[in-house]
C-alpha cells in the first residue's frame, strides 16, 4: 500500500478559485477511489486564515506557510490577480519556497502561479508554461526560463507547471497517475 502523501495547495488573497478547488478535487477524488486514502490535502496561504479569491469566494482555515509540516510531498502554487501575485514577492513566500526546494519531492504551479516559482528562481534553466496570456510576461520577467506557450503542462522534475486554470486539473491528474 502507498503511504500518505501530503499535498500543500498554496493560495493567497486574489488567487483564482478554480486553481485551488480543481486540484483539491482531483486529490480528494483519488482518495475516494483508492482502497485507502493516499493524499492529505492542505490549503495554505502566507499567513493562514481566510483566503478571499478573485471571484470573492472565501476559503476559511488555510494553514500559514510556516505552520505546514516539515515534510511535504507536493507543493502547488496557484495563479490569480496581479495584485495577489505581487504580494507573494514581499510576504516571505519566495524564501519559503526556496527553503522547500531540496526537501519537497514535487513543486509546481497552476496557471500564473508559475510567475511566483520564477520569482523565487526555481525555474531558472528549466522548461515551464503558464496561462497563454502570461507567457510573454514570464519570458521577459525571467529570461532564464524556457517558456513553452503551447503546452497544457510541463514536467521538468522536480518542477511542474500548468497553463491556464483548468490545465491545473490535467496536471494534477497526471501527478496522481
Amino acid at each position: 500500500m502507498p503511504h500518505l502523501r501530503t499535498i500543500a495547495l498554496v493560495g493567497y488573497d486574489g488567487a483564482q478559485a478554480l486553481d485551488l478547488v480543481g486540484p483539491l478535487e482531483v486529490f480528494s477524488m483519488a482518495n475516494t477511489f483508492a482502497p485507502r486514502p493516499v493524499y492529505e490535502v492542505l490549503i495554505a496561504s502566507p499567513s493562514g486564515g481566510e483566503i478571499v479569491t478573485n471571484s470573492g469566494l472565501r476559503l476559511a482555515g488555510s494553514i500559514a506557510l510556516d505552520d505546514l509540516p516539515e515534510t511535504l510531498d507536493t507543493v502547488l502554487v496557484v495563479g490569480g490577480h496581479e495584485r495577489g501575485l505581487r504580494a507573494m514577492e514581499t510576504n516571505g513566500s519566495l524564501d519559503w519556497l526556496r527553503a522547500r526546494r531540496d526537501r519537497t519531492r514535487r513543486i509546481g504551479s497552476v496557471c500564473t502561479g508559475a510567475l511566483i516559482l520564477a520569482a523565487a528562481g526555481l525555474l531558472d534553466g528549466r522548461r515551464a508554461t503558464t496561462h497563454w496570456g502570461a507567457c510573454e510576461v514570464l519570458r521577459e520577467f525571467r529570461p532564464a526560463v524556457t517558456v513553452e506557450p503551447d503546452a497544457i503542462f510541463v514536467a521538468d522534475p522536480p518542477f511542474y507547471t500548468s497553463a491556464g486554470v483548468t490545465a491545473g486539473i490535467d496536471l494534477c491528474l497526471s501527478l496522481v497517475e
Side-chain angles (χ1 to χ4, degrees):
M1 283 288 190
H3 66 284
L4 193 63
R5 296 176 188 260
T6 304
I7 311 290
L9 304 176
V10 179
Y12 45 86
D13 285 344
Q16 171 70 37
L18 192 54
D19 285 4
L20 275 167
V21 176
L24 173 66
E25 288 295 327
V26 169
F27 293 113
S28 295
M29 290 305 294
N31 280 339
T32 300
F33 291 108
R36 67 177 180 83
V38 291
Y39 298 108
E40 175 186 24
V41 185
L42 306 173
I43 303 292
S45 65
S47 56
E50 184 179 71
I51 298 171
V52 180
T53 68
N54 63 352
S55 65
L57 177 67
R58 295 175 178 272
L59 301 171
S62 75
I63 301 168
L65 293 178
D66 289 338
D67 293 337
L68 285 168
E70 284 297 312
T71 303
L72 295 170
D73 177 76
T74 303
V75 171
L76 287 177
V77 179
V78 305
H81 279 189
E82 183 177 351
R83 186 185 59 206
L85 291 166
R86 289 191 183 280
M88 294 292 279
E89 289 184 305
T90 59
N91 62 17
S93 297
L94 301 183
D95 289 336
W96 183 86
L97 282 165
R98 287 182 202 107
R100 290 290 179 143
R101 176 187 187 141
D102 294 330
R103 61 181 200 221
T104 304
R105 184 170 71 102
R106 303 181 297 199
I107 296 178
S109 63
V110 178
C111 196
T112 55
L115 293 166
I116 296 169
L117 298 185
L122 301 180
L123 300 179
D124 288 355
R126 296 189 173 275
R127 298 168 25 254
T129 196
T130 188
H131 184 278
W132 65 266
C135 284
E136 195 57 35
V137 171
L138 178 57
R139 187 177 283 118
E140 290 173 8
F141 171 65
R142 206 70 181 197
V145 178
T146 301
V147 179
E148 296 193 13
D150 296 323
I152 293 173
F153 64 85
V154 171
D156 193 344
F159 301 102
Y160 300 80
T161 54
S162 69
V165 183
T166 57
I169 294 170
D170 293 321
L171 170 63
C172 291
L173 288 168
S174 175
L175 295 177
V176 166
E177 183 180 40

